[in-house]
Amino acid sequence: MSANGTDNSTSKKPPSPSPLRFSKFFQSNMRILVTGGAGFIGSHLVDKLMENEKNEVIVVDNYFTGTKDNLKKWIGHPRFELIRHDVTEPLLIEVDQIYHLACPASPIFYKYNPVKTIKTNVIGTLNMLGLAKRVGARILLTSTSEVYGDPLEHPQTESYWGNVNPIGVRSCYDEGKRVAETLMFDYHRQHGIEIRIARIFNTYGPRMNIDDGRVVSNFIAQALR
Ligand SMILES: O=c1ccn([C@@H]2O[C@H](COP(=O)(O)OP(=O)(O)O[C@H]3OC[C@@H](O)[C@H](O)[C@H]3O)[C@@H](O)[C@H]2O)c(=O)[nH]1
């Protein structure tokens, strides 16, 4: 039972992974899908996952804000595969874990085509959950502090439900991520899918687009100009 009294547990067993998981070879190899892996955070996650010799990493990305350049050191590596794919289209591959990061995170980009942004959050997450159910994979969603909207509680605890404008110009991202979280929990309760959700607050670091309009990159860009 979570702090706000809702019962997020499930009585369902997770779907069984592919029979290949139990063969000797695959026991020691984890096939990991990273959607949005060509982006700022996604490419650093790929670097971390590739450090483990037992991981095979597959990145799907439509390069809306990410770039192959962020992954250049892995292209051609035997344990790495890069696929140009938009997660609003179904994806039929065999994997054991899914890190679902595909979504424009900068306001400049997600407000450029708000309908596409919410499609990516809703249909993209549905496609990834459908894949997780089919292959018995565990799935992590990178959510955001924007699910709290304009919070009335400081600091926000994870059980705080937020204060979000459903019809504003940022709602495609804020509400899109909230629906993505809803879908994650519904697949968990209804189908026993193993889920993880990380609500990422403001981040900065190498490979961040300096002019992507987020607060920290704005401060740095203004300081440099
Ligand atoms: O429709 C889309 C939109 C975006 N993407 C990709 O998703 C990736 C997003 O990476 P960005 O560099 O834009 O953003 P970040 O890495 O900072 O965002 C990260 O943290 C915030 C979360 O909300 C995002 O989901 C997560 O990607 C990019 O590679 C982009 O090309 C898709 O693959 N499909």
Side-chain angles (χ1 to χ4, degrees), residues 36-40 61-70 109 207 209:
F40 161 45
D61 202 300
N62 72 353
Y63 306 120
F64 178 53
T65 52
T67 161
K68 280 183 190 173
D69 205 46
N70 287 337
F109 289 95
R207 303 184 197 152
N209 291 330

Side-chain angles (χ1 to χ4, degrees), residues 58 127 198:
I58 302 155
N127 284 334

Side-chain angles (χ1 to χ4, degrees), residues 39-41 61-62 64-66 101 116 120 142 173 177 214:
F40 161 45
I41 292 183
D61 202 300
N62 72 353
F64 178 53
T65 52
L101 288 81
K116 176 60 173 67
T120 298
T142 52
Y173 183 72
K177 285 291 187 183
R214 283 185 272 185

Side-chain angles (χ1 to χ4, degrees), residues 34 36-48 50 57 59-76 80-82 101 109 205-210 212 214:
V34 182
F40 161 45
I41 292 183
S43 59
H44 287 284
L45 172 63
V46 170
D47 291 348
K48 194 68 191 158
M50 286 298 288
V57 177
V59 168
V60 298
D61 202 300
N62 72 353
Y63 306 120
F64 178 53
T65 52
T67 161
K68 280 183 190 173
D69 205 46
N70 287 337
L71 298 165
K72 59 178 180 276
K73 70 176 172 186
W74 300 116
I75 291 173
F80 179 77
E81 196 173 339
L82 178 57
L101 288 81
F109 289 95
R207 303 184 197 152
M208 186 175 200
N209 291 330
I210 186 72
D212 84 1
R214 283 185 272 185

Side-chain angles (χ1 to χ4, degrees), residues 194-221:
E194 274 193 272
I195 64 169
R196 302 289 186 276
I197 295 176
R199 289 176 177 166
I200 302 175
F201 282 61
N202 282 318
T203 47
Y204 61 93
R207 303 184 197 152
M208 186 175 200
N209 291 330
I210 186 72
D211 51 6
D212 84 1
R214 283 185 272 185
V215 63
V216 176
S217 49
N218 272 349
F219 285 155
I220 294 168

